[in-house]
């Protein structure tokens, strides 16, 4: 998708960047399915243990830059984990190590490395959190209802757990590491304003992706009891007719997605005014178009196979 969109817009993303970008996209896709297929089957207590393992791996990364391979752990630590959790830890470490140990990431600035690490941790935690959120849904009424621990608003959720779950911020920052690596280790985005606007652009794209994803997957999410944007109270239309209610909810979500798309355009234009390197801007242009194109396709047709098709 990045290749086709970059060609159509003249972004001219280098082939090596495209190749590494696609590997990352394949990785986050596999993580999503791994959490749904394996971690979700562990039950609440053990899923919480996986969350603890993820935090532990990233604590190591903060101290040593790269997480240790599992074989480097003391035997007594390994023996404390059930065999299934031990396998999960090994799998998670491999994916995290690939991202943080990528040559272009290692040669990026300290700021860009730290940002990618935080976003990668948020992605993994967001994946696990989605397991708990979906388990809190109930279909005792005609629609599933969702109530968070702290009565979290839809705006808060889509800008935190939901956006992290999409992997959008991780993919955005990884791409900038591929595009912006310099020999002197300079930050990809120079100055406070450019850094702020870049992260704002990343967040708007992630929110847009989640909204369009939920528009396309609402029927499957109903069947599989997955949390969807339309389950939040703010998007309750009050309609008594089920079909009419769903269409009204989707129309509201479409309007919110249009708002996020407009915000992303403003942020991208602002970055161009701040003197960001041409190579980076061309790459981001291709990425922005790819996110929007894929999202609009997904909104029309759910591209994720249902659980019965994955069995």
């Amino acid at each position: 998708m990045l290749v086709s969109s970059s060609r159509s817009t003249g972004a001219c993303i280098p082939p090596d960047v495209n190749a590494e970008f696609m590997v990352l996209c394949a990785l986050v896709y596999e993580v999503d399915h791994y959490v749904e297929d394996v971690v979700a089957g562990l039950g609440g207590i053990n899923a919480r243990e996986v969350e603890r393992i993820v935090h532990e791996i990233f604590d190591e990364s903060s101290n040593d830059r790269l997480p240790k391979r599992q074989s480097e752990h003391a035997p007594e630590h390994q023996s404390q984990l059930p065999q299934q959790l031990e396998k999960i830890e090994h799998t998670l470490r491999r994916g995290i190590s690939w991202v943080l140990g990528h040559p272009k990431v290692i040669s990026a600035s300290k700021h860009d490395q730290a940002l990618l690490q935080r976003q990668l941790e948020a992605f993994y935690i967001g994946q696990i959190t989605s397991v708990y959120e979906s388990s809190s849904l109930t279909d005792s009424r005609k629609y599933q209802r969702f109530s968070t621990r702290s009565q979290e608003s839809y705006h808060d959720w889509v800008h935190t757990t939901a956006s992290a779950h999409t992997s959008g911020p991780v993919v955005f920052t990884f791409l900038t590491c591929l595009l912006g690596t310099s020999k002197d280790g300079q930050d990809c985005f120079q100055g406070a304003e450019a850094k702020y606007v870049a992260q704002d652009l990343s967040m708007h794209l992630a929110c847009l992706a989640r909204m369009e994803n939920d528009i396309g997957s609402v029927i499957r999410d109903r069947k599989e009891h997955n949390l969807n944007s339309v389950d939040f109270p703010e998007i309750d239309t009050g309609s008594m007719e089920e079909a009419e209610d769903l269409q009204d909810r989707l129309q509201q979500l479409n309007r919110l997605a249009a708002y996020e798309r407009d915000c992303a355009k403003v942020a991208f234009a602002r970055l161009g005014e701040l003197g960001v390197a041409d190579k980076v801007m061309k790459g981001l242009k291709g990425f922005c178009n790819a996110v929007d194109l894929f999202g609009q396709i997904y909104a029309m047709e759910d591209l994720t196979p249902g659980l019965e098709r994955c069995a």
Side-chain angles (χ1 to χ4, degrees), residues 161-302:
T161 301
S163 57
H165 182 273
T166 68
S167 78
V170 172
V171 175
F172 182 97
T173 303
F174 184 79
L175 178 61
T176 60
C177 285
L178 295 179
L179 293 168
T181 300
S182 58
K183 294 181 180 179
D184 55 2
Q186 288 186 344
D187 297 340
C188 181
F189 300 102
Q190 299 289 307
E193 187 176 0
K195 288 180 173 65
Y196 185 94
V197 175
Q199 283 193 252
D200 192 48
L201 171 60
S202 171
M203 182 58 64
H204 287 305
L205 290 172
C207 292
L208 172 62
R210 178 63 195 228
M211 290 172 182
E212 292 184 324
N213 181 296
D214 282 1
I215 290 169
S217 65
V218 65
I219 302 301
R220 174 173 54 81
D221 288 338
R222 286 277 169 269
K223 294 179 180 178
E224 298 178 2
H225 299 283
N226 297 324
L227 178 61
N228 189 289
S229 292
V230 300
D231 295 314
F232 277 79
E234 294 96 319
I235 308 182
D236 191 348
T237 66
S239 174
M240 299 302 293
E241 294 293 331
E242 184 172 348
E244 180 182 341
D245 187 21
L246 178 57
Q247 289 305 312
D248 288 346
R249 288 167 182 263
L250 293 177
Q251 287 177 11
Q252 289 189 56
L253 196 54
N254 258 312
R255 288 194 291 270
L256 295 179
Y259 170 78
E260 292 294 342
R261 183 181 297 107
D262 289 343
C263 290
K265 291 177 180 178
V266 171
F268 180 82
R270 184 60 179 158
L271 271 183
E273 298 169 359
L274 295 173
V276 175
D278 186 60
K279 177 183 178 182
V280 175
M281 290 303 297
K282 286 183 176 180
L284 291 182
K285 182 179 182 180
F287 178 68
C288 291
N289 288 330
V291 170
D292 195 23
L293 176 60
F294 185 81
Q296 291 186 54
I297 293 173
Y298 203 110
M300 292 186 291
E301 178 68 31
D302 184 6

Side-chain angles (χ1 to χ4, degrees), residues 49-257:
E49 180 67 10
V50 176
E51 185 174 330
R52 183 197 63 77
I53 289 170
V54 169
H55 284 307
E56 182 181 275
I57 293 172
F58 280 95
D59 285 343
E60 293 173 8
S61 302
S62 298
N63 295 327
D64 304 329
R65 174 177 286 186
L66 295 178
K68 299 174 182 176
R69 294 183 181 276
Q70 193 172 17
S71 60
E72 298 176 26
H73 281 270
E76 61 268 22
H77 174 72
Q78 291 187 9
S79 64
Q80 293 172 2
L81 288 174
Q83 185 176 9
Q84 190 173 15
L85 285 175
E86 188 174 326
K87 291 179 179 178
I88 290 173
E89 180 179 4
H90 176 70
T91 300
L92 296 179
R93 285 180 179 278
R94 288 180 60 190
I96 294 167
S97 294
W98 184 87
V99 177
L100 299 183
H102 191 283
K104 289 293 184 70
V105 173
I106 291 176
S107 59
S109 72
K110 297 293 185 182
H111 173 274
D112 292 348
Q113 289 183 47
L115 177 60
L116 178 62
Q117 181 175 314
R118 291 195 301 272
Q119 292 172 336
L120 187 62
E121 181 175 9
F123 164 65
Y124 276 86
I125 295 301
Q127 289 286 327
I128 299 168
T129 300
S130 69
V131 173
Y132 313 136
E133 290 178 333
S134 293
S135 67
S136 71
L137 289 168
T138 173
D139 57 357
S140 60
R141 296 170 63 182
K142 65 180 181 181
Y143 279 112
Q144 302 171 112
R145 303 299 180 188
F146 177 65
S147 178
T148 62
R149 295 184 300 274
S150 59
Q151 298 300 311
E152 186 176 34
S153 71
Y154 176 65
H155 178 276
D156 290 344
W157 176 79
V158 80
H159 282 82
T160 52
T161 301
S163 57
H165 182 273
T166 68
S167 78
V170 172
V171 175
F172 182 97
T173 303
F174 184 79
L175 178 61
T176 60
C177 285
L178 295 179
L179 293 168
T181 300
S182 58
K183 294 181 180 179
D184 55 2
Q186 288 186 344
D187 297 340
C188 181
F189 300 102
Q190 299 289 307
E193 187 176 0
K195 288 180 173 65
Y196 185 94
V197 175
Q199 283 193 252
D200 192 48
L201 171 60
S202 171
M203 182 58 64
H204 287 305
L205 290 172
C207 292
L208 172 62
R210 178 63 195 228
M211 290 172 182
E212 292 184 324
N213 181 296
D214 282 1
I215 290 169
S217 65
V218 65
I219 302 301
R220 174 173 54 81
D221 288 338
R222 286 277 169 269
K223 294 179 180 178
E224 298 178 2
H225 299 283
N226 297 324
L227 178 61
N228 189 289
S229 292
V230 300
D231 295 314
F232 277 79
E234 294 96 319
I235 308 182
D236 191 348
T237 66
S239 174
M240 299 302 293
E241 294 293 331
E242 184 172 348
E244 180 182 341
D245 187 21
L246 178 57
Q247 289 305 312
D248 288 346
R249 288 167 182 263
L250 293 177
Q251 287 177 11
Q252 289 189 56
L253 196 54
N254 258 312
R255 288 194 291 270
L256 295 179

